[in-house]
Amino acid sequence: MKNIPLQVNLEGQTSCVDTDWLAIMATLKKRGLQQDELMSVYVELSSGMRVTTRGLSLAKINPTLELQGIIRETTFSANDYAGMLRA
């Protein structure tokens, strides 16, 4: 199982926490989930599903949404390219 970024909240609450699979997996093991149940939760999260188990609601964080507005693609106009050729 690879580490994936997750958004987690306690059932019935609106506040969320960003964490990762390895941290949540340890918590779920303490709450009594067996290895096959953990694998099932991991597969469902990896496919983009929201999973609720042991009082936690889990959802995979989409990396494209996480970086939205922070990183932008660099674009060049035809004039920029012509200027590079003169140098």
Side-chain angles (χ1 to χ4, degrees), residues 7-71:
Q7 185 178 55
V8 180
N9 69 317
L10 293 172
E11 286 182 14
Q13 295 188 2
T14 57
S15 61
C16 295
V17 175
D18 292 345
T19 187
D20 58 34
W21 170 248
L22 297 178
I24 290 301
M25 183 175 66
T27 301
L28 293 175
K29 280 183 180 180
K30 289 179 186 176
R31 293 184 179 193
L33 259 69
Q34 301 300 318
Q35 187 62 31
D36 58 335
E37 294 169 316
L38 287 170
M39 189 59 159
S40 176
V41 170
Y42 178 81
V43 168
E44 291 172 355
L45 287 170
S46 295
S47 67
M49 294 175 65
R50 180 176 289 275
V51 179
T52 301
T53 183
R54 302 292 198 250
L56 300 172
S57 293
L58 314 168
K60 181 179 174 183
I61 297 174
N62 189 348
T64 57
L65 296 176
E66 187 177 16
L67 299 177
Q68 195 174 38
I70 297 173
I71 297 176

Side-chain angles (χ1 to χ4, degrees), residues 1 3 13 55 75:
M1 289 186 264
N3 200 11
Q13 295 188 2
T75 57

